[in-house]
């Protein structure tokens, strides 16, 4: 049995009339902020390709209907020399009680001997997601001996008072078509406060297939009847583009990989003809939606699909 999705099309792409958001709507991250509104946090890019977080509010009853778009970035670039001086990529927004939200993001730091590092930062909102401030100018997932270059793509859940965090991590690089590319797998850590995390995580999914070299931002939600669903992206060696993956687990730690079961793939001739990535699910009543990107990491905006049956 496989899932059957109905692609609803592109929801939003920036018109290019704001300097900080001239292109892309990357890594859509949905959060229902009221019975009527889903806030989709995204990363917009400026003319230099540097990312800053913003949001797009959509109708919870019709997620293709845009209600509001943020007029200014939720965070600006980090100070020179910071881990996020070359862009921020919003990955997860976690309700922490009341109007407080924790926003976990990946910060880009360019390298010389390696192309870049990706480390995880934290920003906090106390007004329900209208504004954010950095918790710190340094990462909450800092590099370590076991995870030297990549500790990014975070996705957080609050479970019985514990912040559970799934993320991607790695220390190695390979050459693909003359370009240096990172190798990273999917890992897991826990925190009592959502701020202090162990120096390395437990591997959840390894890069084991011959044609894989990394996993994109994981997303974990509860499964009706118990257990967890995991949506993630798989980066291929053969065509250097992402496809979507899917797994299920009873405890959120031991996963059964079921990529073929997801059945959400590229569409020839469409904005997602070459790549499909960064799927983020949200359950609205009885309906499951996913927001996702297509070719060129969201250059054409983000889209939505609805689960018809499984």
């Amino acid at each position: 049995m496989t899932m059957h999705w109905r692609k609803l099309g592109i929801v939003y792409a920036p018109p290019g009339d704001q300097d900080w958001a001239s292109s892309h709507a990357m890594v859509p991250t949905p959060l229902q902020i009221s019975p009527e509104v889903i806030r989709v946090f995204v990363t917009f890019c400026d003319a230099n390709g540097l990312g800053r977080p913003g949001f797009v509010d959509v109708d919870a009853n019709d997620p293709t209907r845009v209600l509001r778009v943020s007029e200014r970035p939720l965070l600006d670039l980090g100070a020179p020399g910071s881990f996020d001086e070359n862009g921020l990529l919003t990955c997860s927004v976690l309700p922490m009680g009341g109007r407080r939200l924790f926003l976990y993001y990946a910060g880009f730091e360019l390298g010389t001997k390696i192309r870049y590092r990706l480390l995880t930062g934290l920003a906090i909102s106390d007004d329900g997601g209208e504004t954010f401030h950095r918790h710190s100018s340094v990462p909450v997932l800092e590099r370590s001996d076991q995870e030297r270059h990549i500790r990014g793509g975070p996705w957080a859940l609050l479970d019985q008072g514990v912040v559970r965090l799934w993320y991607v991590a790695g220390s190695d690089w390979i050459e693909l078509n003359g370009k240096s590319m990172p190798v990273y797998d999917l890992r897991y850590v826990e925190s009592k406060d959502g701020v202090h995390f162990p120096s390395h995580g437990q591997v959840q999914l390894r890069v084991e297939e011959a044609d894989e070299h990394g996993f994109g931002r994981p997303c974990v939600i509860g499964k009706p009847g118990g257990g967890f669903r995991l949506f993630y992206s798989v980066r291929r060696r053969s065509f250097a583009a992402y496809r979507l993956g899917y797994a299920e687990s009873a405890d959120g730690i031991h996963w059964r990989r079921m990529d073929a079961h997801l059945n959400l793939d590229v569409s020839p001739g469409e904005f997602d003809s070459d790549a499909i990535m960064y799927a983020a699910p949200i359950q609205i009543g009885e309906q499951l939606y996913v927001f996702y990107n297509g070719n060129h990491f969201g250059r054409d905006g983000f889209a939505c699909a609805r689960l018809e049956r499984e």
Side-chain angles (χ1 to χ4, degrees):
M1 296 292 292
T2 60
M3 297 179 177
H4 292 268
W5 299 87
R6 181 181 177 188
K7 290 185 174 181
L8 304 179
I10 294 175
V11 176
Y12 181 81
D17 56 354
Q18 299 190 77
D19 290 343
W20 69 278
S22 61
S23 73
H24 292 71
M26 303 170 64
V27 194
T29 303
L31 177 70
Q32 188 168 13
I33 61 172
S34 77
E36 298 81 21
V37 178
I38 302 169
R39 176 157 292 178
V40 185
F41 295 88
V42 293
T43 295
F44 297 119
C45 292
D46 64 18
N48 296 315
L50 303 181
R52 296 170 177 83
F55 64 77
V56 179
D57 287 348
V58 299
D59 188 338
N61 297 306
D62 177 8
T64 65
R65 189 167 81 90
V66 174
L67 304 175
R68 179 188 171 201
V69 180
S70 54
E71 298 178 356
R72 58 186 60 87
L74 299 175
L75 288 174
D76 208 339
L77 301 178
S82 300
F83 77 102
D84 51 3
E85 66 177 355
N86 277 281
L88 293 75
L89 198 63
T90 302
C91 295
S92 180
V93 181
L94 179 66
M96 293 296 288
R99 293 176 58 78
R100 171 162 281 209
L101 300 176
F102 277 14
L103 185 155
Y104 294 95
Y105 66 91
F108 281 84
E109 182 181 6
L110 298 183
T112 53
K113 299 295 181 65
I114 60 171
R115 287 176 56 210
Y116 57 82
R117 283 176 288 273
L118 279 179
L119 301 171
T120 293
L122 169 64
I124 299 172
S125 174
D126 289 308
D127 57 12
E130 291 295 312
T131 62
F132 285 84
H133 63 274
R134 280 177 173 79
H135 163 73
S136 173
S137 61
V138 298
V140 292
L141 292 189
E142 180 59 277
R143 75 189 88 183
S144 65
D145 284 339
Q146 297 88 348
E147 301 170 359
R148 296 193 306 275
H149 302 152
I150 308 291
R151 298 193 81 198
W155 181 268
L157 284 182
L158 187 61
D159 188 1
Q160 298 182 7
V162 174
V163 175
R164 309 183 69 183
L165 193 79
W166 296 264
Y167 66 106
V168 298
S171 306
D172 298 318
W173 296 73
I174 58 173
E175 289 290 322
L176 290 178
N177 300 317
K179 188 175 184 179
S180 180
M181 301 295 290
V183 178
Y184 41 91
D185 49 30
L186 197 154
R187 305 191 184 193
Y188 172 78
V189 288
E190 294 182 355
S191 170
K192 293 181 179 179
D193 59 7
V195 174
H196 301 94
F197 292 92
S199 63
H200 63 280
Q202 175 183 350
V203 176
Q204 304 282 281
L205 293 181
R206 294 186 182 277
V207 175
E208 293 180 331
E209 300 293 333
D211 196 34
E212 298 174 352
H213 70 89
F215 298 114
R217 188 269 313 264
C219 292
V220 178
I221 63 169
K223 190 175 188 296
F228 298 89
R229 301 181 190 265
L230 167 63
F231 293 73
Y232 55 95
S233 304
V234 184
R235 200 160 195 171
R236 304 290 185 185
R237 293 171 181 253
S238 56
F239 44 81
Y242 277 116
R243 293 295 188 269
L244 295 179
Y246 176 80
E248 294 184 355
S249 171
D251 57 8
I253 296 177
H254 303 92
W255 296 95
R256 181 164 66 103
R257 190 168 174 179
M258 305 166 61
D259 291 3
H261 179 69
L262 181 62
N263 193 35
L264 183 60
D265 207 346
V266 296
S267 295
E270 299 295 333
F271 77 99
D272 56 358
S273 59
D274 297 323
I276 185 168
M277 65 192 75
Y278 304 140
I282 186 168
Q283 188 82 37
I284 305 295
E286 298 298 316
Q287 189 64 63
L288 181 66
Y289 297 96
V290 294
F291 295 93
Y292 63 96
N293 288 135
N295 303 347
H296 304 287
F297 305 97
R299 181 193 62 187
D300 299 313
F302 71 89
C304 183
R306 181 177 66 221
L307 182 63
E308 301 285 278
R309 66 183 188 277
E310 62 175 318

